[in-house]
Amino acid sequence: MDWDSVAAEDVIEALREVEWSTSPRSLAEFFSRFAFPRSFSKWMSRLKCNLYYYRTNYFILLIFVLGLALITRPLAILGAALTALSLAFLNDSFAATFNEKMIRTIRHFSPHLAAKMRPPHMPVIRGRSAARKTVYICGQPRLVFVLIGFIASFVLWFTSCGLLWVLYALTTALFMIILHATLRTPNLKARLNTFREEFRAVWRNYSEL
């Protein structure tokens, strides 16, 4: 995979569509082989590769830093949890899985309500949904839940008087992620095995449109 030819928008789109259920990379692999990139193009290529390959590790690191910073503020911790859930909803696979589990749970109490929460029928053209990127959660567009989650998180952070502290912790976590993605040299497995097959599966969707 030539990461120099992959645009940042394509990486973001791939992260939105790829499966996030894979286990995080081991700590021995995560904290090994660091070196400064030799040029700006090498840095951009390494950054995109590591953000994709270590996506689960970075998500856990983000939640860990936020939780550690907000350990004395229960409301802020709840806000951080809602933020993490809202961010997870941006991934197609997580949103679809969450939707199915919620509908199955509600079906035990009210089958009629569960039927109403099913997403609307989408016409299919050439074997593909006409609205492939439209994801529904409990019968509502995903964006509704994302916005509600972010608004509720902001309110919880504000009422806990920890908004500035949350921003500081979030900035620290993002700095740590970018620093690691900058210094961690992609190993042979990252270059040739798992990440390439996963990314090609997503990339293939673009070529078929």
Side-chain angles (χ1 to χ4, degrees):
M1 173 70 67
D2 183 11
W3 286 94
D4 290 331
S5 61
V6 179
E9 294 80 4
D10 297 327
V11 176
I12 296 175
E13 188 71 13
L15 289 173
R16 188 181 67 84
E17 295 185 356
V18 77
E19 292 283 348
W20 281 66
S21 57
T22 56
S23 302
R25 311 298 173 181
S26 64
L27 293 179
E29 178 185 349
F30 190 64
F31 292 106
S32 65
R33 297 184 60 187
F34 293 96
F36 286 98
R38 292 174 292 180
S39 64
F40 179 77
S41 61
K42 292 290 185 182
W43 173 69
M44 288 299 297
S45 177
R46 179 185 298 183
L47 189 67
K48 289 181 284 189
C49 176
N50 286 334
L51 286 177
Y52 182 83
Y53 187 68
Y54 293 110
R55 58 187 180 273
T56 307
N57 297 72
Y58 291 147
F59 187 76
I60 294 175
L61 177 61
L62 176 64
I63 301 305
F64 175 77
V65 173
L66 286 176
L68 191 64
L70 305 175
I71 195 169
T72 59
R73 295 176 170 86
L75 288 179
I77 292 179
L78 182 58
L82 284 176
T83 300
L85 184 62
S86 301
L87 290 174
F89 280 150
L90 295 176
N91 178 257
D92 293 353
S93 177
F94 179 87
T97 303
F98 181 88
N99 178 59
E100 287 297 324
K101 290 185 177 180
M102 282 294 298
I103 291 178
R104 288 177 183 175
T105 302
I106 295 175
R107 186 186 299 150
H108 292 295
F109 305 97
S110 176
H112 182 68
L113 179 60
K116 288 185 176 181
M117 290 184 175
R118 286 290 178 183
H121 175 71
M122 297 296 176
V124 176
I125 302 176
R126 294 183 180 179
R128 286 185 169 273
S129 173
R132 181 179 62 88
K133 295 184 180 180
T134 302
V135 178
Y136 288 85
I137 301 177
C138 296
Q140 300 297 322
R142 167 176 52 186
L143 184 60
V144 173
F145 284 83
V146 173
L147 291 177
I148 291 176
F150 281 132
I151 293 173
S153 301
F154 181 84
V155 171
L156 289 172
W157 290 342
F158 186 80
T159 55
S160 65
C161 300
L163 183 58
L164 292 179
W165 186 247
V166 168
L167 294 177
Y168 171 76
L170 183 61
T171 303
T172 302
L174 294 178
F175 174 77
M176 293 173 62
I177 291 173
I178 294 176
L179 182 64
H180 180 275
T182 297
L183 300 179
R184 178 64 171 91
T185 57
N187 54 26
L188 184 62
K189 181 179 180 181
R191 290 175 177 172
L192 300 178
N193 291 335
T194 307
F195 90 95
R196 182 181 63 181
E197 298 303 324
E198 293 175 344
F199 197 91
R200 281 182 174 177
V202 176
W203 193 266
R204 193 177 300 114
N205 292 333
Y206 302 144
S207 61
E208 293 176 357
L209 292 179

